[in-house]
Amino acid sequence: MFLMYSAMRVCCLVSREINCRPTIKLPNLQAVVIGRGPETEIVDKKCSRQQVELIADCNKGYVKIKQIGINPTSVDFVDIGKDQRTKLRPGQVLYIVNRLYPYAVEFSEETGEQPPKVPLKGNTTKRPYESSQDSSTETRTGKSIKVEHSELQDVPMNSKPSSNNVCSTKHASIPNEKGHTGHWSQGLKTSMQDPAMQVYHDERVVVIKDKYPKARYHWLVLPWEAVSSLKAIKKEHLELLQHMHKIGEKMVRECPASDSVTFRLGYHAIPSMSHVHLHVISQDFDSPCLKSKKHWNSFTTEYFLESQDVIEMIKKDGKVSVKGLAELLKSPLRCHVCKQEQATIPQLKEHLKKHGLK
């Protein structure tokens, strides 16, 4: 007797709140309407009982979203609009109403046990098999995301919040992003929603710990507004950039090592992670996550655009120019203090100790 197994892709809507709401299963290509009620445990009267319609396409890997209720439903803080549609993909966050009640979509493989086929002796006709009442085992397989050690996150950090919501960071462990099945480049959108990663937030920005810090102190300042990259920045974002810079300076001031450590605030010209973010990074570069020439050059050449320079570009030209900067990642390894060339990252790190950067 042989058991046969079939794999079917399934989709679920999973709460991203600390006190998780019920997970909602979304059948393939079937409309599901949710809102205020027992299926979400939302009791907010600003949320309609029929707030949003969802149709999962398990083959294409996204969920079609339609706002039905009057108050705004949004994806990554971008309002959809009544009777308007958009798509929700892994790595994005759906806010049911008024930018509250966050959910993420997860796709996984559901394996079901098929009944055995038993040939009947002396008869070529096969009788239908009547399945037993044993329930099949359902396994949700959240894919682990392999993130390249680029500008974002590798060894997590602990933080102790100060009275002003600003944290000092050291290397330690932090919970993994379970169930995140989107492309690794979308990881920031998930991390900025994670309370364990947040060290400061206000109505315009959030500051998170870089999971793969390239120095002893490394934070990212991100706007709640959906802005994909520096190329998307326009003059209307000037005030936002200034606020991000202000919060970056606040992080530096309230860092316990600010008197002995130098910081830089800036942007990568062509970041590997989606969603614009300002790096606030100490110049010791003392981190096991700094492993390659690309890592080093992304923070120590003109590929790293100073925050104030970006603000001036927007004031003057209304856009940020990054033309030709990608080649800088291939530059030789040079000490950022004395400019002496080094052959390897280990030799460079040993050399930095001569400058007191331990």
Side-chain angles (χ1 to χ4, degrees):
M1 182 188 302
F2 296 95
L3 296 179
M4 298 181 64
Y5 296 88
S6 64
M8 179 177 64
R9 206 170 190 210
V10 296
C11 177
C12 292
L13 202 62
V14 181
S15 173
R16 298 310 307 273
E17 293 182 83
I18 298 175
N19 299 319
C20 288
R21 298 177 185 277
T23 294
I24 300 169
K25 193 166 183 178
L26 303 177
N28 188 41
L29 300 178
Q30 294 183 30
V32 175
V33 177
I34 63 172
R36 185 173 81 251
E39 73 280 359
T40 60
E41 296 182 352
I42 295 174
V43 295
D44 186 346
K45 291 187 177 180
K46 293 182 180 179
C47 179
S48 170
R49 293 187 182 277
Q50 294 186 331
Q51 178 66 31
V52 60
E53 177 189 86
L54 308 100
I55 302 177
D57 191 323
C58 295
N59 295 323
K60 294 182 179 179
Y62 60 72
V63 177
K64 293 180 181 178
I65 305 290
K66 178 183 178 182
Q67 179 184 321
I68 302 174
I70 297 175
N71 291 314
T73 294
S74 56
V75 173
D76 285 347
F77 291 102
V78 177
D79 294 344
I80 299 171
K82 182 167 171 54
D83 297 325
Q84 300 300 307
R85 299 176 185 272
T86 190
K87 292 176 182 177
L88 176 69
R89 301 178 186 276
Q92 295 182 306
V93 178
L94 168 69
Y95 294 87
I96 302 300
V97 69
N98 291 334
R99 302 189 178 186
L100 300 172
Y101 319 112
Y103 280 85
V105 62
E106 293 183 8
F107 290 93
S108 59
E109 301 292 332
E110 184 180 73
T111 303
E113 181 180 314
Q114 297 296 317
K117 294 183 179 179
V118 183
L120 301 179
K121 293 183 180 180
N123 190 344
T124 57
T125 304
K126 295 180 180 179
R127 296 171 61 188
Y129 179 91
E130 299 197 7
S131 62
S132 69
Q133 298 300 314
D134 293 336
S135 60
S136 62
T137 302
E138 180 176 310
T139 306
R140 289 180 58 189
T141 57
K143 297 179 183 176
S144 61
I145 301 172
K146 209 171 181 182
V147 180
E148 302 207 1
H149 295 174
S150 56
E151 72 205 74
L152 181 76
Q153 313 158 338
D154 185 310
V155 173
M157 301 176 288
N158 271 342
S159 62
K160 294 182 179 180
S162 72
S163 59
N164 294 320
N165 289 337
V166 178
C167 305
S168 64
T169 56
K170 294 290 183 181
H171 307 300
S173 65
I174 139 181
N176 293 327
E177 286 285 2
K178 297 183 179 179
H180 187 309
T181 58
H183 192 269
W184 59 265
S185 65
Q186 302 295 315
L188 280 180
K189 296 178 182 179
T190 301
S191 294
M192 64 190 288
Q193 307 295 336
D194 184 356
M197 297 293 294
Q198 296 175 0
V199 295
Y200 172 89
H201 65 85
D202 59 27
E203 70 281 356
R204 303 198 69 181
V205 301
V206 60
V207 181
I208 64 173
K209 298 169 286 187
D210 195 308
K211 275 187 185 175
Y212 297 90
K214 301 303 183 290
R216 294 177 195 168
Y217 299 93
H218 192 177
W219 300 288
L220 305 176
V221 184
L222 303 100
W224 290 118
E225 180 181 347
V227 183
S228 60
S229 67
L230 287 180
K231 290 183 179 180
I233 295 289
K234 300 177 182 178
K235 275 198 172 179
E236 53 261 38
H237 295 114
L238 177 59
E239 188 179 344
L240 175 61
L241 291 178
Q242 291 171 330
H243 182 70
M244 291 171 66
H245 183 86
K246 177 182 175 182
I247 297 303
E249 290 182 325
K250 174 183 175 68
M251 297 297 299
V252 173
R253 285 195 309 271
E254 300 193 14
C255 173
S258 60
D259 292 338
S260 57
V261 178
T262 302
F263 282 83
R264 288 181 73 196
L265 280 66
Y267 301 86
H268 282 150
I270 308 170
S272 57
M273 305 298 294
S274 178
H275 200 89
V276 71
H277 50 285
L278 172 67
H279 291 268
V280 181
I281 183 167
S282 58
Q283 296 300 286
D284 51 83
F285 296 110
D286 179 15
S287 170
C289 302
L290 198 154
K291 298 179 179 181
S292 70
K293 180 194 289 189
K294 180 179 178 182
H295 294 163
W296 179 258
N297 287 332
S298 70
F299 287 100
T300 60
T301 68
E302 291 180 0
Y303 186 89
F304 189 76
L305 302 174
E306 292 283 352
S307 175
Q308 289 287 25
D309 291 344
V310 170
I311 290 172
E312 289 304 314
M313 279 189 233
I314 294 299
K315 284 181 179 179
K316 181 181 177 182
D317 304 320
K319 63 180 181 179
V320 180
S321 175
V322 298
K323 188 176 181 180
L325 296 180
E327 291 299 311
L328 293 173
L329 294 178
K330 301 176 184 178
S331 302
L333 284 172
R334 295 185 184 278
C335 171
H336 66 306
V337 179
C338 68
K339 306 304 178 184
Q340 182 177 332
E341 188 170 333
Q342 302 294 320
T344 66
I345 288 291
Q347 289 179 15
L348 175 61
K349 289 186 175 184
E350 189 63 30
H351 171 82
L352 294 180
K353 294 179 182 179
K354 298 178 182 179
H355 298 294
L357 304 175
K358 300 179 181 179

